[in-house]
Every structure is written in C-alpha cells, then in structure tokens.
Amino acid sequence: MMTGRSAFVVGVAESDLGVTPDHTPLSLQAQAALRALDECGLSLDDVDALFTAGDWARHPTATLAEYLGVVPRWTDTTNIGGASFEAHVGHAAAGIELGLFDVALITYGSTQRSQGQRRKPRPVEYGTQFDQVAGLPVPVGAYALAASRHMHEFGTTPEQLAEVAVSAREWALLNPVAYRKTPLTIDDVLNSKPICEPLHLLDCCLITDGGGALVVAAGDRLAGVRTRPVEVLGHGEASTHYGITQMPDLVTTAAARSGEDALRRAKINLDDLDVVQIYDSFTITVLLTLEALGFCKPGDAGDFVADGRTRPGGAFPMNTSGGGLSYCHPGMFGIYLVIEAVRQLRGDCGQRQVPGAQTALVNGTGGNLSSTSTVILGTG
Amino acid sequence: MKRQPTTDPGRASADGSQSPARLETVPDSSSSQWWRALEEGRVLVQQCLACGRSFFYPRPLCPHCHATELEWRDIAGGGTIHAATVVHQPTPIFAGDDPYPVALVDLDEGARMLLRVDEAPAGRPLIGSRVQIATVETAHGPHPRAVYAPDQIGADQQTAPEAQQP
C-alpha cells in the first residue's frame, strides 16, 4: 500500500576519523549513529529500518542490529562498493514512500588504516582467476587503465587530473576535520610517486579509518525533529560490469544512467544544482563522472575543471568537504558525500559554505568503475 | 594458435629461488576447460553460435545475447592494446617485478583480455599498438602474455566492436 510519503535526511554524522586504533567497524558505526540521531532529536527506539554495507561481518545488518539493540522491520545490505550509501538513501526513500518503515538508519564503519586490510590480498573470484597473473592491483589499476584511455581519446593531461586533487585540498583546508591540512600544488601531485601510470600517489584517495551515519525519516515523522530536513528528491543507480575487462566503454561510467534516472525522478535540471559531491576515489573518477552526468561533453572534463572552477569561490563548487582525496576515505566514501551535501543544504558548513545552496547532486562510484548511484537532495 | 609454453626470461630461476605457488583458480564446467587448454599452451575464447560474437572470460552463456549455444575457439594470437598502465606498486605476490606494463588487449576475435606486456618499449605501452598473445611459463604456471609486435598488421586495427557494446 503506497503512502506517497516523501523522505528526508534529518540526521548526519561522522564518527571519529583518521586513525582510530581503539575502534572496530561496529563501534565506529555506533558512535556515528548516536551522533546522527542525537543531532535531530530521534533515538535508536525510533529506528525501524537498518542499512549498512561492508565486509566486516557475514551478515552486516543482523550483526549491527544486535550490537545497537534495535529490531528493524526492514534491512538492506546492498553492496555496490563506494556507491552503496547513495543506493541506501534511494532504497530508504522508496521504502518510506511505500509505507514499509518510518525511520531508516544508514551506517558505515571501517578501520582499514589501523588494521591494514588494504594490504591483504583479495581472495580470488570467478572472473579474476583468469587475469590475476597480470598483476594489476585493483581498484587503482582499473582506474589507471580508464585514465590511459581518456588521455588517448581526448588528450586529457596529467595536469588536468591533478587539478581535481588540488581543488579537493583547497576545500579540505576549510574543513576542520579533514585529514590533509597542508596546501597542495599541481607539481606536488605530478611529482608524487607513480602508483599505476598515469596515476600518482596524490591522484589516489586517502586510506583512513572512519564511520558515518545518516538518518532518513518519513515526512509525517518530522514533528520534534531539531534539524532542517533535507528532502530526497530523486535517486538512480546502475551497474555496467564488475571487472575492468568487462567495462563496456572505459570512458563512460554507469552515472550516465543513474544520473539521468535521478534527475528525471527529481524533476531537476543540471542547471538547477547549487553544489555537487562526486566520489573521488581517484582523480580520473571525477572527470569521467562529470562527463557521464552531462555537466560537460565527453572528453571535456579536463578543461571543465581547469582554472579553479571547482575550487572554493569557483563557479562549480564540488567536493566541498575535501573529498576522499583530502578529507577522509575509510575504504568506501559514499556516506560522506551525503553527509557533506546535507550540511551544505542546511547552511552548516562555515568557511566552506556555498552561499544559499538549496539543491545538491551526490554521485557515488563503486568497484572498478562498476556501479554508480546518484541522489538529488533539496531544501527549496 | 597452438604453441609450446616458453620460458619467461624474466622468470627464469637464475637465482635458484623457489617459485611461488600457483595462483588459486575457481574450477567449474566452463573454467576447467579453459585451464586445461592453457596447460597445452592454447588460449581459448568462447564464440556464441547465435550472435557470432566472441567473449572472454569463460561462462555458460553469451554475455551479449544470452544464448547458451557456444563454441570454444583457439585464438589466432593477434591483438591490439586498448588501454595500458605501468604498475609501480604491486600487490605483495608480484613485489619485485615492478615496474611492469599491463594492458587491456582486444583480441582480433573481438574479446578483451587483461595481460602483462613483454618487450614493450620503456614507458606506458602505446594504445593502438599490435601485440601477439603467447602462452608463457611463469612462476605461477603457464599463462597468456602479450608480446609487443608494433610492425604486425592486424586483421582489424580498430577497437573490436564487441567490446564497445553497452
């Protein structure tokens, strides 16, 4: 039975970020969940749907529900890598519209920096058994291959890729909880050690610990909510492949479809957006996503980000938290894209606030450029 | 293409060091046939009898048209580099090999493979360059490798149409 209710993000929070050796993925999620609920005046007793993703438990939502002491009537462990949490927001909004539950809690937590999970070899999977001997480290190698193709087809330069990292750092300098706090130049990026050509160390996201939480509530459950509600206006998601050998076109991501779906459902045009948060696992991810979403023509993203356009004070404010490149990146960054977008739409961003921001686009990308999910948020 | 496994010069046990164990595989009715052929020095792809397109990796249905009538084919060996990187920070099992080039190679048959590239000039292998795929005895058993062959004329210098299907 459809209720037609709108869904609103009412609570957002990070856990402690950076290096958190005294935490587990569960304790980080609990910390972030309590902070997000506390800021909006709801409690764990109000939560009747639970969303999380990660490889820290065999049954993540059941484990987390037990740990938090909640009994959800709906759970969702959709895992499409870093795009999972945009998908969770979309799924939560759909469930609220259907009347399946009233208050969804979406969480994430990782201690990958303290526990060194990043360095452990991944177990072989069916598709990777055939080419693991090539020795391509993933995901970075997959993104490097896409970058090589973008440079080949369109003449994109290492300097244009580096601008994405420099822009992120400029924003991070305005974010008190950002991990990187020193200025960065294009030359710094180009002179950092090569990881997988053409990507350098500073073309790659951080490796940090951290957790995050979002509280999504039905429009008829906002009485007493202390924060300014941010409406979920639209959502889309798409997966085009998993391994990089199977990507249909190395320079077109699934955001071409997830973005179109999200914008259509939100009845929003790209011109209506005030701020965008685009998953920056690697600098190339941002260029590919800008093109796939239609902010510029295929091949033009390198020029699009030039001249400080996406930096503080630029015409196209993007990744205003400092992004996965400079703010934090505990394995999957998707939840932080939503946290920052909501804070921008509330006007809570202090020095890095985009004046008068009312509509935001968030785009997560997961796997080997495999899956995307796009969410449109608004307060207008 | 049927060729005897050759020794990878970069892998010869010149220092007498013990070879690492073979990499783990995931055997099933599709993959086992591919691995058996590889032991004989043959590299197989599957061709769909319904739509005619070739694909890799092995599976029991065509990823393009979803038909299940498939045929194994030995590859002719020619291919073109579609995208390329040089790995400087490998996973631990390949530490010491670096830096080494890895490329997505479009086989002349139309399927795409991820391969190390041997005998490439310094730097990132050039996209569009021709390569010859050969089975090489590596420290991890026989595996296909791409050998740089810039003078070779390909049957089709363009990107394989199959690989472009959305």
Side-chain angles (χ1 to χ4, degrees):
Chain A
M1 183 175 59
M2 296 265 300
T3 64
R5 298 180 300 177
S6 295
F8 295 81
V9 184
V10 296
V12 299
E14 300 116 327
S15 70
D16 296 347
L17 300 174
V19 185
T20 63
D22 296 332
H23 275 286
T24 60
L26 280 166
S27 68
L28 288 170
Q29 289 177 91
Q31 187 187 52
L34 291 173
R35 289 177 181 176
L37 288 160
D38 186 57
E39 77 156 3
C40 62
L42 295 172
S43 79
L44 282 169
D45 292 333
D46 298 308
V47 171
D48 60 351
L50 200 55
F51 296 67
T52 187
D55 54 8
W56 43 268
R58 184 179 293 273
H59 297 156
T61 48
T63 303
L64 183 65
E66 174 190 280
Y67 187 87
L68 296 175
V70 299
V71 183
R73 54 169 54 93
W74 194 269
T75 66
D76 182 335
T77 55
T78 298
N79 191 343
I80 47 172
S84 302
F85 308 92
E86 285 68 40
H88 292 173
V89 170
H91 300 181
I96 284 170
E97 183 179 354
L98 282 170
L100 301 172
F101 47 83
D102 294 329
V103 177
L105 174 65
I106 301 168
T107 66
Y108 177 65
S110 168
T111 52
Q112 68 158 212
R113 174 147 201 120
S114 294
Q115 304 193 352
Q117 284 109 327
R118 199 86 183 185
R119 298 196 176 283
K120 291 177 188 157
R122 296 182 177 201
V124 69
E125 295 178 77
Y126 184 83
T128 58
Q129 66 178 312
F130 303 102
D131 51 34
Q132 57 185 329
V133 75
L136 186 76
V138 292
V140 59
Y143 288 77
L145 288 167
S148 81
R149 192 69 205 172
H150 201 268
M151 294 166 93
H152 174 76
E153 286 192 27
F154 304 117
T156 305
T157 66
E159 289 80 6
Q160 290 172 327
L161 288 166
E163 169 60 27
V164 175
V166 171
S167 173
R169 183 65 58 88
E170 293 285 313
W171 285 107
L173 296 177
L174 304 177
N175 183 352
V177 300
Y179 192 73
R180 295 279 182 223
K181 297 180 184 302
T182 53
L184 186 71
T185 67
I186 300 281
D187 280 346
D188 291 338
V189 180
L190 301 182
N191 292 330
S192 64
K193 66 178 177 180
I195 303 297
C196 281
E197 295 179 32
L199 300 180
H200 311 81
L201 177 67
L202 295 177
D203 286 298
C204 304
C205 60
L206 302 168
I207 297 174
T208 70
D209 300 332
L214 311 171
V215 181
V216 183
D220 56 8
R221 286 294 304 268
L222 300 181
V225 165
R226 289 200 287 255
T227 50
R228 182 177 184 189
V230 171
E231 187 170 359
V232 181
L233 298 173
H235 154 258
E237 62 190 72
S239 290
T240 49
H241 64 284
Y242 184 59
I244 197 64
T245 61
Q246 310 296 307
M247 186 167 183
D249 175 355
L250 285 184
V251 295
T252 305
T253 80
R257 191 160 90 184
S258 66
E260 190 182 338
D261 284 351
L263 290 160
R264 187 186 65 251
R265 289 167 185 163
K267 301 184 178 65
I268 288 282
N269 297 314
L270 292 177
D271 291 345
D272 300 327
L273 296 164
D274 299 310
V275 60
V276 302
Q277 311 292 340
I278 291 179
Y279 200 130
D280 55 346
S281 47
F282 304 93
T283 51
I284 184 63
T285 319
V286 173
L287 298 192
L288 293 173
T289 306
L290 287 169
E291 293 170 11
L293 290 171
F295 286 111
C296 59
K297 283 188 287 194
D300 284 356
D303 287 333
F304 184 84
V305 300
D307 303 324
R309 184 187 200 135
T310 63
R311 297 190 194 186
F316 191 84
M318 177 183 81
N319 296 351
T320 52
S321 63
L325 290 164
S326 280
Y327 150 55
C328 73
H329 194 285
M332 298 199 280
F333 185 69
I335 203 163
Y336 303 99
L337 298 168
V338 179
I339 291 171
E340 176 68 9
V342 167
R343 288 177 175 161
Q344 284 286 349
L345 297 177
R346 289 179 185 165
D348 282 352
C349 284
Q351 270 193 293
R352 67 181 192 280
Q353 179 64 44
V354 175
Q358 292 190 320
T359 311
L361 178 147
V362 175
N363 190 89
T365 303
N368 303 295
L369 286 161
S370 318
S371 308
T372 64
S373 183
T374 313
V375 173
I376 312 292
L377 301 167
T379 50
Chain B
M1 181 191 75
K2 178 149 185 168
R3 82 182 46 229
Q4 291 302 309
T6 55
T7 302
D8 174 2
R11 285 288 190 178
S13 53
D15 59 358
S17 64
Q18 197 181 351
S19 290
R22 290 197 172 196
L23 299 169
E24 197 183 342
T25 61
V26 185
D28 74 357
S29 56
S30 298
S31 67
S32 296
Q33 188 144 352
W34 192 84
W35 287 112
R36 272 198 302 276
L38 190 69
E39 292 287 338
E40 300 168 2
R42 300 161 59 206
V43 178
L44 303 184
V45 295
Q46 285 167 293
Q47 186 172 17
C48 175
L49 295 177
C51 73
R53 285 186 277 189
S54 297
F55 62 91
F56 184 76
Y57 51 86
R59 66 198 96 168
L61 79 170
C62 170
H64 303 297
C65 78
H66 311 135
T68 55
E69 294 187 344
L70 311 169
E71 207 167 64
W72 292 97
R73 291 279 169 85
D74 285 77
I75 65 167
T80 304
I81 292 182
H82 181 74
T85 183
V86 176
V87 176
H88 291 265
Q89 194 161 302
T91 50
I93 191 168
F94 300 111
D97 288 8
D98 56 291
Y100 52 85
V102 177
L104 287 172
V105 174
D106 287 338
L107 308 179
D108 291 343
E109 288 79 5
R112 184 172 287 171
M113 297 182 80
L114 180 70
L115 298 164
R116 287 256 190 124
V117 185
D118 290 343
E119 295 172 34
R124 204 146 35 88
L126 287 176
I127 291 173
S129 296
R130 293 290 295 170
V131 292
Q132 187 73 25
I133 292 94
T135 307
V136 169
E137 189 62 40
T138 75
H140 309 284
H143 279 285
R145 282 297 228 341
V147 181
Y148 209 63
D151 297 333
Q152 187 196 74
I153 303 301
D156 178 3
Q157 292 283 22
Q158 302 300 311
T159 300
E162 285 84 342
Q164 296 286 354
Q165 286 294 321

